[in-house]
Amino acid sequence: MTHDSSAAQSPESSAAEPADHPRQPLWRELRDAIRGTDADYTKIPLRRAVFLLAVPMVLELVLESTFAVVDIFFVSKLGPSAVATVGLTESYLFLLYAVAMGLAMAVTAVVARRIGEGKREEAAFTAVQAIAIALLASILPALAGIFYAQDLLRLMGADAWSIEHGYRYTQWMLGGNAVIMLLFVINAIFRGAGDAAISMRVLWLSNGLNIVLCPLLIFGPGPFPEWGIEGAAIATCIGRGTGVLYQLWVLFRGGKHIRVTMAQLVWRGAMLWNIVRTSLGGIGQMIVAMTAWIFLMRILAAIGSEAVAGATIAIRIMMFTMMPAWGMSNAAATLVGQNLGAGHADRAEASVWHIGWYNMGYLVLVSVLFFAFPQQLVGIFSTDPEVIKVGSEWLRILSYSFFIYGWWMVTVQAFNGAGDTITPTKINVVFFWLIQIPLSYWLAIHLGWKELGVFWGVFVSETSVGAFTLWLFTRGRWKNAKV
Protein backbone atom coordinates (compact mmCIF):
# COMPACT_ATOMS: atom_id res chain seq x y z
CA MET A 1 0.00 0.00 0.00
CA THR A 2 1.36 3.45 -0.87
CA HIS A 3 1.83 6.16 1.73
CA ASP A 4 1.26 9.35 -0.26
CA SER A 5 -0.88 12.01 1.37
CA SER A 6 -3.48 11.95 -1.37
CA ALA A 7 -5.11 8.93 0.28
CA ALA A 8 -5.96 11.05 3.27
CA GLN A 9 -7.52 13.72 1.11
CA SER A 10 -9.43 11.25 -1.04
CA PRO A 11 -10.48 8.31 1.11
CA GLU A 12 -12.28 6.69 -1.77
CA SER A 13 -8.90 5.85 -3.28
CA SER A 14 -8.05 3.71 -0.29
CA ALA A 15 -11.41 2.03 -0.30
CA ALA A 16 -11.46 0.89 -3.89
CA GLU A 17 -12.03 -2.82 -4.26
CA PRO A 18 -8.93 -4.54 -5.67
CA ALA A 19 -9.39 -7.00 -8.48
CA ASP A 20 -8.53 -9.93 -6.21
CA HIS A 21 -11.18 -8.85 -3.65
CA PRO A 22 -14.51 -8.93 -5.49
CA ARG A 23 -17.39 -7.34 -3.65
CA GLN A 24 -19.62 -9.85 -1.83
CA PRO A 25 -23.41 -9.59 -1.60
CA LEU A 26 -24.58 -7.30 1.21
CA TRP A 27 -26.33 -10.13 3.08
CA ARG A 28 -23.09 -12.12 3.18
CA GLU A 29 -21.09 -9.12 4.41
CA LEU A 30 -23.73 -8.56 7.11
CA ARG A 31 -23.55 -12.23 8.15
CA ASP A 32 -19.75 -12.04 8.40
CA ALA A 33 -19.94 -8.84 10.45
CA ILE A 34 -22.35 -10.37 12.97
CA ARG A 35 -20.60 -13.74 13.20
CA GLY A 36 -17.11 -12.27 13.25
CA THR A 37 -14.26 -13.03 10.87
CA ASP A 38 -10.51 -13.60 11.05
CA ALA A 39 -9.95 -10.93 8.39
CA ASP A 40 -6.81 -8.78 8.57
CA TYR A 41 -8.22 -5.25 8.85
CA THR A 42 -4.91 -3.76 7.73
CA LYS A 43 -5.10 -5.50 4.35
CA ILE A 44 -8.71 -6.03 3.25
CA PRO A 45 -10.49 -3.26 1.30
CA LEU A 46 -11.07 -0.30 3.60
CA ARG A 47 -14.79 -0.03 2.98
CA ARG A 48 -15.20 -3.70 3.93
CA ALA A 49 -13.04 -3.27 7.03
CA VAL A 50 -15.21 -0.36 8.17
CA PHE A 51 -18.36 -2.38 7.55
CA LEU A 52 -17.15 -5.53 9.36
CA LEU A 53 -16.12 -3.56 12.44
CA ALA A 54 -18.83 -0.89 12.50
CA VAL A 55 -21.88 -3.17 12.14
CA PRO A 56 -21.32 -5.21 15.34
CA MET A 57 -20.18 -2.12 17.24
CA VAL A 58 -23.32 -0.24 16.20
CA LEU A 59 -25.59 -3.19 17.06
CA GLU A 60 -23.78 -3.59 20.38
CA LEU A 61 -24.39 0.00 21.42
CA VAL A 62 -27.92 0.10 20.03
CA LEU A 63 -28.93 -2.53 22.58
CA GLU A 64 -26.95 -0.74 25.28
CA SER A 65 -28.89 2.43 24.57
CA THR A 66 -32.13 0.45 24.30
CA PHE A 67 -31.64 -0.73 27.85
CA ALA A 68 -30.94 2.83 29.03
CA VAL A 69 -34.26 3.95 27.59
CA VAL A 70 -36.21 0.91 28.84
CA ASP A 71 -34.71 1.32 32.31
CA ILE A 72 -35.72 4.96 32.65
CA PHE A 73 -39.15 4.15 31.16
CA PHE A 74 -39.93 1.79 34.04
CA VAL A 75 -38.26 3.91 36.75
CA SER A 76 -40.27 6.95 35.58
CA LYS A 77 -43.44 5.12 36.69
CA LEU A 78 -42.18 5.59 40.27
CA GLY A 79 -42.23 9.40 39.98
CA PRO A 80 -39.86 12.34 39.30
CA SER A 81 -37.88 11.74 42.50
CA ALA A 82 -37.05 8.19 41.40
CA VAL A 83 -35.88 9.47 38.01
CA ALA A 84 -33.86 12.17 39.76
CA THR A 85 -32.24 9.48 41.96
CA VAL A 86 -31.12 7.64 38.83
CA GLY A 87 -29.79 10.87 37.34
CA LEU A 88 -27.88 11.88 40.48
CA THR A 89 -26.46 8.37 40.92
CA GLU A 90 -25.35 8.41 37.30
CA SER A 91 -23.44 11.59 38.04
CA TYR A 92 -21.17 9.47 40.25
CA LEU A 93 -21.27 6.54 37.85
CA PHE A 94 -20.01 8.90 35.18
CA LEU A 95 -16.78 9.17 37.18
CA LEU A 96 -16.50 5.39 37.10
CA TYR A 97 -17.34 5.41 33.41
CA ALA A 98 -14.54 7.94 33.01
CA VAL A 99 -12.02 5.55 34.54
CA ALA A 100 -13.45 2.54 32.72
CA MET A 101 -13.65 4.30 29.36
CA GLY A 102 -10.23 5.89 29.75
CA LEU A 103 -8.72 2.52 30.56
CA ALA A 104 -10.67 0.97 27.68
CA MET A 105 -9.25 3.56 25.28
CA ALA A 106 -5.72 2.60 26.28
CA VAL A 107 -6.47 -1.12 26.10
CA THR A 108 -8.00 -0.78 22.62
CA ALA A 109 -5.02 1.26 21.42
CA VAL A 110 -2.36 -1.10 22.84
CA VAL A 111 -4.09 -4.33 21.81
CA ALA A 112 -4.82 -2.96 18.33
CA ARG A 113 -1.20 -1.87 17.91
CA ARG A 114 0.11 -5.30 18.98
CA ILE A 115 -2.32 -7.06 16.65
CA GLY A 116 -1.29 -4.76 13.80
CA GLU A 117 2.35 -5.61 14.52
CA GLY A 118 1.53 -9.33 14.43
CA LYS A 119 2.29 -9.83 18.18
CA ARG A 120 -0.84 -11.71 19.31
CA GLU A 121 0.78 -13.24 22.38
CA GLU A 122 1.78 -9.78 23.61
CA ALA A 123 -1.81 -8.68 23.03
CA ALA A 124 -3.01 -11.52 25.28
CA PHE A 125 -0.59 -10.53 28.05
CA THR A 126 -1.90 -6.96 27.71
CA ALA A 127 -5.44 -8.26 28.22
CA VAL A 128 -4.53 -9.93 31.52
CA GLN A 129 -2.87 -6.79 32.90
CA ALA A 130 -5.87 -4.69 31.87
CA ILE A 131 -8.28 -6.97 33.75
CA ALA A 132 -6.11 -6.72 36.88
CA ILE A 133 -6.15 -2.91 36.69
CA ALA A 134 -9.94 -2.87 36.28
CA LEU A 135 -10.45 -4.98 39.41
CA LEU A 136 -8.11 -2.85 41.50
CA ALA A 137 -9.79 0.37 40.31
CA SER A 138 -13.24 -0.86 41.39
CA ILE A 139 -12.47 -1.34 45.09
CA LEU A 140 -12.66 2.21 46.51
CA PRO A 141 -15.83 3.24 44.61
CA ALA A 142 -17.54 0.05 45.82
CA LEU A 143 -16.73 0.82 49.46
CA ALA A 144 -17.89 4.44 49.09
CA GLY A 145 -21.17 3.38 47.52
CA ILE A 146 -21.95 0.68 50.05
CA PHE A 147 -21.27 2.74 53.16
CA TYR A 148 -21.93 6.36 52.10
CA ALA A 149 -24.76 6.20 49.54
CA GLN A 150 -27.05 8.60 51.42
CA ASP A 151 -24.25 11.10 51.99
CA LEU A 152 -23.35 11.03 48.31
CA LEU A 153 -26.95 11.74 47.30
CA ARG A 154 -27.23 14.49 49.90
CA LEU A 155 -24.05 16.08 48.51
CA MET A 156 -25.69 16.26 45.07
CA GLY A 157 -28.74 18.05 46.45
CA ALA A 158 -31.13 15.08 46.34
CA ASP A 159 -34.62 15.52 47.78
CA ALA A 160 -35.92 13.74 50.90
CA TRP A 161 -37.43 10.77 48.99
CA SER A 162 -34.15 10.02 47.22
CA ILE A 163 -32.16 10.12 50.45
CA GLU A 164 -34.66 8.01 52.42
CA HIS A 165 -35.76 5.50 49.77
CA GLY A 166 -33.61 5.84 46.66
CA TYR A 167 -30.22 5.37 48.31
CA ARG A 168 -30.39 1.59 47.90
CA TYR A 169 -30.26 2.09 44.13
CA THR A 170 -27.04 4.03 44.64
CA GLN A 171 -25.65 1.32 46.93
CA TRP A 172 -26.17 -1.40 44.34
CA MET A 173 -24.90 0.59 41.37
CA LEU A 174 -21.73 1.82 43.05
CA GLY A 175 -21.19 -1.29 45.15
CA GLY A 176 -21.34 -3.50 42.06
CA ASN A 177 -19.19 -1.25 39.89
CA ALA A 178 -16.63 -4.02 39.22
CA VAL A 179 -18.92 -5.49 36.58
CA ILE A 180 -19.06 -2.09 34.85
CA MET A 181 -15.28 -1.84 34.83
CA LEU A 182 -14.82 -5.36 33.50
CA LEU A 183 -17.48 -5.01 30.81
CA PHE A 184 -15.78 -1.91 29.43
CA VAL A 185 -12.24 -3.24 29.61
CA ILE A 186 -12.77 -6.76 28.29
CA ASN A 187 -14.93 -5.51 25.44
CA ALA A 188 -12.13 -3.04 24.67
CA ILE A 189 -9.78 -6.01 24.42
CA PHE A 190 -12.04 -7.69 21.89
CA ARG A 191 -12.52 -4.47 19.89
CA GLY A 192 -8.82 -3.73 19.76
CA ALA A 193 -8.14 -7.27 18.54
CA GLY A 194 -10.82 -6.93 15.86
CA ASP A 195 -13.31 -9.27 17.56
CA ALA A 196 -16.09 -6.69 17.56
CA ALA A 197 -18.75 -9.36 17.07
CA ILE A 198 -17.89 -10.85 20.47
CA SER A 199 -18.32 -7.47 22.19
CA MET A 200 -21.69 -7.20 20.48
CA ARG A 201 -22.87 -10.59 21.77
CA VAL A 202 -21.71 -9.74 25.30
CA LEU A 203 -23.89 -6.63 25.48
CA TRP A 204 -26.78 -8.38 23.78
CA LEU A 205 -26.69 -10.95 26.57
CA SER A 206 -26.21 -8.56 29.49
CA ASN A 207 -28.65 -5.89 28.33
CA GLY A 208 -31.22 -8.37 27.09
CA LEU A 209 -31.24 -9.88 30.58
CA ASN A 210 -31.48 -6.38 32.08
CA ILE A 211 -34.50 -5.53 29.96
CA VAL A 212 -36.32 -8.70 31.03
CA LEU A 213 -35.48 -8.42 34.74
CA CYS A 214 -35.99 -4.67 35.17
CA PRO A 215 -39.83 -4.54 35.22
CA LEU A 216 -40.03 -7.86 37.08
CA LEU A 217 -37.88 -6.67 39.99
CA ILE A 218 -39.28 -3.12 40.07
CA PHE A 219 -42.99 -3.98 40.11
CA GLY A 220 -42.93 -7.58 41.37
CA PRO A 221 -45.57 -9.35 39.26
CA GLY A 222 -46.42 -12.93 40.24
CA PRO A 223 -43.67 -14.62 42.28
CA PHE A 224 -41.14 -11.80 41.80
CA PRO A 225 -40.35 -9.42 44.71
CA GLU A 226 -41.46 -5.79 44.39
CA TRP A 227 -38.23 -3.93 45.08
CA GLY A 228 -39.05 -0.61 43.41
CA ILE A 229 -36.08 1.48 42.34
CA GLU A 230 -33.72 -0.95 44.08
CA GLY A 231 -34.96 -3.67 41.73
CA ALA A 232 -33.73 -1.67 38.72
CA ALA A 233 -30.21 -1.66 40.15
CA ILE A 234 -30.29 -5.37 41.03
CA ALA A 235 -31.46 -6.24 37.50
CA THR A 236 -28.60 -4.21 36.06
CA CYS A 237 -26.00 -5.91 38.27
CA ILE A 238 -27.30 -9.38 37.39
CA GLY A 239 -27.31 -8.60 33.67
CA ARG A 240 -23.84 -7.07 33.64
CA GLY A 241 -22.41 -9.77 35.87
CA THR A 242 -23.68 -12.44 33.49
CA GLY A 243 -22.08 -10.54 30.62
CA VAL A 244 -18.71 -10.51 32.39
CA LEU A 245 -18.83 -14.28 32.94
CA TYR A 246 -19.50 -14.76 29.25
CA GLN A 247 -16.62 -12.42 28.37
CA LEU A 248 -14.16 -14.40 30.46
CA TRP A 249 -15.36 -17.71 29.02
CA VAL A 250 -14.87 -16.47 25.45
CA LEU A 251 -11.53 -14.81 26.22
CA PHE A 252 -10.04 -18.05 27.54
CA ARG A 253 -11.76 -20.19 24.94
CA GLY A 254 -10.41 -17.94 22.21
CA GLY A 255 -11.88 -15.49 19.73
CA LYS A 256 -10.97 -14.98 16.09
CA HIS A 257 -8.01 -12.74 16.91
CA ILE A 258 -7.10 -13.12 20.60
CA ARG A 259 -6.98 -15.82 23.26
CA VAL A 260 -5.66 -15.87 26.83
CA THR A 261 -4.11 -19.04 28.22
CA MET A 262 -3.46 -20.01 31.82
CA ALA A 263 0.27 -19.49 31.24
CA GLN A 264 -0.40 -15.81 30.56
CA LEU A 265 -2.04 -15.20 33.96
CA VAL A 266 1.07 -13.53 35.32
CA TRP A 267 1.93 -10.06 36.59
CA ARG A 268 3.97 -8.03 34.12
CA GLY A 269 4.85 -4.76 35.78
CA ALA A 270 6.30 -2.98 32.74
CA MET A 271 3.36 -3.92 30.54
CA LEU A 272 0.86 -2.98 33.25
CA TRP A 273 2.53 0.40 33.68
CA ASN A 274 2.44 0.99 29.92
CA ILE A 275 -1.34 0.48 30.00
CA VAL A 276 -1.73 2.77 33.01
CA ARG A 277 0.49 5.43 31.44
CA THR A 278 -1.40 5.29 28.16
CA SER A 279 -4.76 5.32 29.97
CA LEU A 280 -4.00 8.42 32.06
CA GLY A 281 -4.83 10.73 29.20
CA GLY A 282 -8.00 8.79 28.39
CA ILE A 283 -9.09 8.77 32.02
CA GLY A 284 -8.26 12.45 32.26
CA GLN A 285 -10.33 13.40 29.23
CA MET A 286 -13.29 11.37 30.47
CA ILE A 287 -13.04 12.70 34.04
CA VAL A 288 -13.02 16.24 32.70
CA ALA A 289 -16.13 15.55 30.62
CA MET A 290 -17.93 13.60 33.36
CA THR A 291 -17.17 16.06 36.17
CA ALA A 292 -18.47 18.80 33.91
CA TRP A 293 -21.70 16.81 33.71
CA ILE A 294 -21.79 16.53 37.53
CA PHE A 295 -21.52 20.30 37.83
CA LEU A 296 -24.32 20.71 35.30
CA MET A 297 -26.53 18.29 37.23
CA ARG A 298 -25.76 20.18 40.43
CA ILE A 299 -26.91 23.40 38.78
CA LEU A 300 -30.09 21.68 37.58
CA ALA A 301 -30.70 20.19 41.06
CA ALA A 302 -30.72 23.73 42.46
CA ILE A 303 -33.48 24.56 39.97
CA GLY A 304 -35.64 21.56 40.97
CA SER A 305 -36.25 17.81 40.67
CA GLU A 306 -38.29 18.35 37.49
CA ALA A 307 -35.26 19.95 35.84
CA VAL A 308 -33.07 16.98 36.82
CA ALA A 309 -35.71 14.49 35.71
CA GLY A 310 -36.26 16.21 32.37
CA ALA A 311 -32.52 16.38 31.70
CA THR A 312 -32.10 12.72 32.72
CA ILE A 313 -34.81 11.58 30.29
CA ALA A 314 -33.37 13.76 27.53
CA ILE A 315 -29.88 12.34 27.98
CA ARG A 316 -31.27 8.78 27.85
CA ILE A 317 -33.02 9.58 24.58
CA MET A 318 -29.81 11.06 23.26
CA MET A 319 -27.88 7.97 24.34
CA PHE A 320 -30.36 5.79 22.49
CA THR A 321 -30.09 7.71 19.25
CA MET A 322 -26.35 8.46 19.40
CA MET A 323 -25.05 5.00 20.28
CA PRO A 324 -24.92 3.92 16.61
CA ALA A 325 -22.67 6.93 15.98
CA TRP A 326 -20.44 5.93 18.89
CA GLY A 327 -20.34 2.41 17.48
CA MET A 328 -19.02 3.71 14.16
CA SER A 329 -16.54 5.91 16.03
CA ASN A 330 -15.22 2.89 17.95
CA ALA A 331 -14.53 1.22 14.62
CA ALA A 332 -12.29 4.19 13.78
CA ALA A 333 -10.23 3.60 16.94
CA THR A 334 -9.58 -0.04 16.01
CA LEU A 335 -8.74 0.76 12.39
CA VAL A 336 -6.40 3.59 13.35
CA GLY A 337 -4.57 1.48 15.95
CA GLN A 338 -4.15 -1.60 13.79
CA ASN A 339 -3.14 0.31 10.66
CA LEU A 340 -0.59 2.43 12.51
CA GLY A 341 0.83 -0.80 13.93
CA ALA A 342 1.09 -2.19 10.41
CA GLY A 343 2.73 1.01 9.14
CA HIS A 344 -0.24 2.23 7.08
CA ALA A 345 -0.73 5.77 8.37
CA ASP A 346 -2.51 6.90 5.19
CA ARG A 347 -5.02 4.07 5.50
CA ALA A 348 -5.58 4.96 9.16
CA GLU A 349 -6.46 8.53 8.21
CA ALA A 350 -8.67 7.46 5.31
CA SER A 351 -10.73 5.26 7.65
CA VAL A 352 -11.48 8.28 9.85
CA TRP A 353 -12.72 10.36 6.92
CA HIS A 354 -14.95 7.49 5.77
CA ILE A 355 -16.55 7.00 9.16
CA GLY A 356 -16.81 10.74 9.80
CA TRP A 357 -19.03 11.26 6.76
CA TYR A 358 -21.23 8.33 7.78
CA ASN A 359 -21.54 9.73 11.30
CA MET A 360 -22.40 13.23 10.13
CA GLY A 361 -25.13 11.97 7.82
CA TYR A 362 -26.69 9.82 10.53
CA LEU A 363 -26.68 12.52 13.20
CA VAL A 364 -28.18 15.10 10.85
CA LEU A 365 -31.18 12.77 10.56
CA VAL A 366 -31.30 12.47 14.36
CA SER A 367 -31.20 16.25 14.73
CA VAL A 368 -34.21 16.59 12.44
CA LEU A 369 -36.10 14.11 14.64
CA PHE A 370 -35.16 15.99 17.83
CA PHE A 371 -36.12 19.35 16.35
CA ALA A 372 -39.47 18.19 15.00
CA PHE A 373 -40.74 15.93 17.80
CA PRO A 374 -39.04 16.77 21.14
CA GLN A 375 -42.20 16.85 23.28
CA GLN A 376 -43.50 13.59 21.81
CA LEU A 377 -40.18 11.85 22.52
CA VAL A 378 -39.95 13.00 26.15
CA GLY A 379 -43.68 12.35 26.62
CA ILE A 380 -43.06 8.63 26.10
CA PHE A 381 -41.31 8.55 29.49
CA SER A 382 -43.21 11.11 31.57
CA THR A 383 -46.62 12.73 31.81
CA ASP A 384 -45.39 15.55 34.06
CA PRO A 385 -45.77 18.80 32.03
CA GLU A 386 -42.70 20.44 33.57
CA VAL A 387 -40.51 17.37 32.99
CA ILE A 388 -41.67 17.22 29.34
CA LYS A 389 -40.97 20.94 28.93
CA VAL A 390 -37.42 20.66 30.27
CA GLY A 391 -36.52 17.52 28.36
CA SER A 392 -37.90 18.78 25.04
CA GLU A 393 -36.02 22.07 25.41
CA TRP A 394 -32.71 20.22 25.71
CA LEU A 395 -33.39 17.94 22.75
CA ARG A 396 -34.27 20.85 20.49
CA ILE A 397 -31.32 23.03 21.49
CA LEU A 398 -28.73 20.26 21.15
CA SER A 399 -30.16 19.22 17.78
CA TYR A 400 -28.47 22.34 16.37
CA SER A 401 -25.00 20.98 17.22
CA PHE A 402 -25.26 17.45 15.83
CA PHE A 403 -23.91 18.46 12.42
CA ILE A 404 -20.43 18.89 13.89
CA TYR A 405 -20.79 16.53 16.85
CA GLY A 406 -20.48 13.42 14.67
CA TRP A 407 -17.05 14.57 13.49
CA TRP A 408 -15.95 15.23 17.06
CA MET A 409 -16.86 11.69 18.07
CA VAL A 410 -14.81 10.13 15.25
CA THR A 411 -11.76 12.37 15.49
CA VAL A 412 -11.51 11.93 19.26
CA GLN A 413 -11.55 8.16 18.76
CA ALA A 414 -8.86 8.54 16.10
CA PHE A 415 -6.60 10.25 18.64
CA ASN A 416 -7.40 7.59 21.23
CA GLY A 417 -6.93 4.70 18.81
CA ALA A 418 -3.51 6.06 17.94
CA GLY A 419 -2.63 6.16 21.64
CA ASP A 420 -2.58 9.98 21.80
CA THR A 421 -4.97 10.34 24.73
CA ILE A 422 -3.32 13.49 26.09
CA THR A 423 -4.42 15.83 23.29
CA PRO A 424 -8.18 15.20 23.81
CA THR A 425 -7.65 15.69 27.56
CA LYS A 426 -6.23 19.17 27.03
CA ILE A 427 -9.07 19.98 24.64
CA ASN A 428 -11.67 18.82 27.19
CA VAL A 429 -10.15 20.93 29.98
CA VAL A 430 -10.51 24.07 27.90
CA PHE A 431 -13.93 23.47 26.39
CA PHE A 432 -15.69 21.69 29.28
CA TRP A 433 -14.12 23.15 32.42
CA LEU A 434 -13.12 26.62 31.25
CA ILE A 435 -16.05 27.27 28.89
CA GLN A 436 -19.01 24.92 29.50
CA ILE A 437 -19.29 25.06 33.30
CA PRO A 438 -18.78 28.84 33.81
CA LEU A 439 -20.97 29.70 30.83
CA SER A 440 -23.78 27.39 31.93
CA TYR A 441 -23.70 28.74 35.49
CA TRP A 442 -23.64 32.36 34.32
CA LEU A 443 -26.56 31.85 31.95
CA ALA A 444 -28.64 29.67 34.31
CA ILE A 445 -28.08 31.41 37.65
CA HIS A 446 -26.69 34.90 37.03
CA LEU A 447 -28.94 35.71 34.06
CA GLY A 448 -31.82 33.65 35.43
CA TRP A 449 -32.29 31.48 32.33
CA LYS A 450 -32.58 28.42 34.60
CA GLU A 451 -32.32 25.11 32.69
CA LEU A 452 -32.19 26.95 29.35
CA GLY A 453 -28.92 28.52 30.45
CA VAL A 454 -27.41 25.08 31.04
CA PHE A 455 -28.61 23.77 27.69
CA TRP A 456 -27.31 26.74 25.71
CA GLY A 457 -23.99 26.55 27.57
CA VAL A 458 -23.66 22.91 26.52
CA PHE A 459 -24.56 23.80 22.93
CA VAL A 460 -21.88 26.48 22.65
CA SER A 461 -19.11 24.38 24.20
CA GLU A 462 -19.84 21.16 22.31
CA THR A 463 -20.16 22.87 18.94
CA SER A 464 -16.86 24.66 19.53
CA VAL A 465 -15.02 21.55 20.69
CA GLY A 466 -16.22 19.61 17.64
CA ALA A 467 -14.92 22.16 15.16
CA PHE A 468 -11.60 22.58 16.96
CA THR A 469 -10.91 18.84 17.32
CA LEU A 470 -11.60 18.23 13.63
CA TRP A 471 -9.16 20.98 12.70
CA LEU A 472 -6.50 19.53 15.01
CA PHE A 473 -6.96 16.08 13.49
CA THR A 474 -6.16 17.41 10.03
CA ARG A 475 -2.71 18.48 11.24
CA GLY A 476 -1.74 14.78 11.54
CA ARG A 477 0.49 14.76 14.61
CA TRP A 478 -1.50 11.81 16.05
CA LYS A 479 0.19 9.55 13.48
CA ASN A 480 3.45 9.72 15.46
CA ALA A 481 2.03 8.49 18.79
CA LYS A 482 3.87 5.52 20.38
CA VAL A 483 2.23 2.87 22.58
Side-chain angles (χ1 to χ4, degrees):
M1 178 146 189
T2 60
H3 288 257
D4 61 82
S5 60
S6 63
Q9 301 301 322
S10 180
E12 292 297 329
S13 63
S14 294
E17 298 282 356
D20 58 339
H21 287 89
R23 186 183 296 276
Q24 298 187 57
L26 180 60
W27 68 267
R28 187 172 297 172
E29 294 278 18
L30 186 61
R31 180 199 63 187
D32 290 344
I34 294 175
R35 288 183 176 179
T37 73
D38 56 1
D40 186 337
Y41 298 108
T42 67
K43 295 179 180 178
I44 64 174
L46 183 54
R47 187 175 285 115
R48 182 167 188 257
V50 171
F51 187 84
L52 291 176
L53 284 172
V55 166
M57 290 182 181
V58 168
L59 292 176
E60 166 192 345
L61 294 182
V62 162
L63 192 58
E64 175 75 12
S65 57
T66 299
F67 168 70
V69 172
V70 171
D71 181 49
I72 205 66
F73 175 81
F74 290 120
V75 170
S76 66
K77 306 302 180 185
L78 303 176
S81 292
V83 177
T85 300
V86 173
L88 296 175
T89 300
E90 284 188 344
S91 297
Y92 291 111
L93 287 174
F94 283 159
L95 291 176
L96 292 175
Y97 293 154
V99 175
M101 293 171 69
L103 181 56
M105 290 174 193
V107 172
T108 294
V110 176
V111 170
R113 193 68 68 93
R114 299 294 89 83
I115 293 293
E117 293 167 349
K119 301 176 180 178
R120 296 197 177 194
E121 185 174 347
E122 290 296 300
F125 276 113
T126 299
V128 173
Q129 309 311 308
I131 292 171
I133 296 170
L135 289 172
L136 291 173
S138 69
I139 295 174
L140 286 179
L143 294 176
I146 292 171
F147 295 107
Y148 300 104
Q150 289 178 306
D151 295 323
L152 292 173
L153 288 172
R154 190 176 292 111
L155 183 63
M156 287 297 294
D159 62 19
W161 188 95
S162 295
I163 295 172
E164 183 178 353
H165 303 287
Y167 78 95
R168 294 189 182 277
Y169 177 90
T170 307
Q171 280 185 320
W172 274 98
M173 296 301 293
L174 294 179
N177 80 91
V179 294
I180 297 175
M181 300 289 293
L182 290 173
L183 268 181
F184 272 102
V185 169
I186 302 177
N187 268 358
I189 293 167
F190 289 133
R191 291 192 199 100
D195 285 331
I198 296 174
S199 298
M200 174 192 69
R201 288 195 290 271
V202 167
L203 285 192
W204 279 11
L205 172 63
S206 62
N207 287 323
L209 193 55
N210 285 351
I211 290 171
V212 172
L213 290 177
C214 195
L216 297 178
L217 298 184
I218 291 176
F219 304 114
F224 293 93
E226 184 180 355
W227 283 331
I229 192 173
E230 184 180 6
I234 295 173
T236 300
C237 289
I238 292 174
R240 287 175 172 166
T242 304
V244 169
L245 293 177
Y246 177 67
Q247 283 178 322
L248 294 172
W249 180 76
V250 173
L251 189 62
F252 282 91
R253 180 173 173 265
K256 300 285 186 180
H257 297 272
I258 191 169
R259 181 186 180 187
V260 172
T261 65
M262 297 301 294
Q264 291 164 332
L265 295 178
V266 294
W267 181 275
R268 284 199 166 185
M271 187 176 289
L272 186 145
W273 171 244
N274 181 49
I275 298 171
V276 171
R277 179 185 58 81
T278 306
S279 71
L280 290 178
I283 293 172
Q285 67 182 267
M286 296 310 303
I287 285 180
V288 170
M290 299 304 186
T291 50
W293 171 249
I294 290 177
F295 278 107
L296 296 182
M297 290 298 287
R298 187 64 183 87
I299 296 171
L300 291 170
I303 297 171
S305 292
E306 288 80 6
V308 175
T312 300
I313 290 173
I315 198 67
R316 289 297 182 98
I317 295 172
M318 291 172 61
M319 287 170 60
F320 178 75
T321 53
M322 292 177 65
M323 281 301 179
W326 276 118
M328 287 188 279
S329 301
N330 287 339
T334 298
L335 287 171
V336 166
Q338 290 198 9
N339 281 290
L340 288 181
H344 302 321
D346 57 341
R347 182 179 167 94
E349 183 170 355
S351 67
V352 176
W353 286 110
H354 265 80
I355 297 171
W357 283 110
Y358 299 151
N359 249 16
M360 187 191 74
Y362 169 72
L363 287 179
V364 166
L365 294 177
V366 172
S367 68
V368 171
L369 179 67
F370 282 1
F371 182 84
F373 307 105
Q375 293 181 331
Q376 292 87 337
L377 290 170
V378 179
I380 296 172
F381 306 95
S382 177
T383 57
D384 187 303
E386 186 62 25
V387 171
I388 293 175
K389 173 177 173 291
V390 171
S392 60
E393 285 171 344
W394 197 350
L395 290 183
R396 178 164 288 177
I397 291 171
L398 290 190
S399 72
Y400 306 143
S401 67
F402 277 12
F403 177 82
I404 193 65
Y405 198 75
W407 285 101
W408 176 79
M409 295 164 74
V410 176
T411 51
V412 162
Q413 288 298 78
F415 283 111
N416 292 327
D420 179 10
T421 56
I422 298 297
T423 297
T425 303
K426 295 176 180 178
I427 294 172
N428 285 0
V429 167
V430 173
F431 286 93
F432 293 144
W433 278 3
L434 302 184
I435 295 178
Q436 186 179 91
I437 295 174
L439 179 61
S440 296
Y441 182 84
W442 183 69
L443 293 174
I445 305 301
H446 183 72
L447 293 187
W449 289 13
K450 298 185 178 181
E451 70 275 359
L452 283 178
V454 174
F455 302 158
W456 280 112
V458 172
F459 164 79
V460 170
S461 61
E462 293 193 351
T463 302
S464 303
V465 75
F468 180 80
T469 307
L470 178 58
W471 170 78
L472 201 61
F473 167 79
T474 62
R475 301 186 65 185
R477 293 182 180 178
W478 52 272
K479 298 176 184 178
N480 301 317
K482 304 296 181 183
V483 294

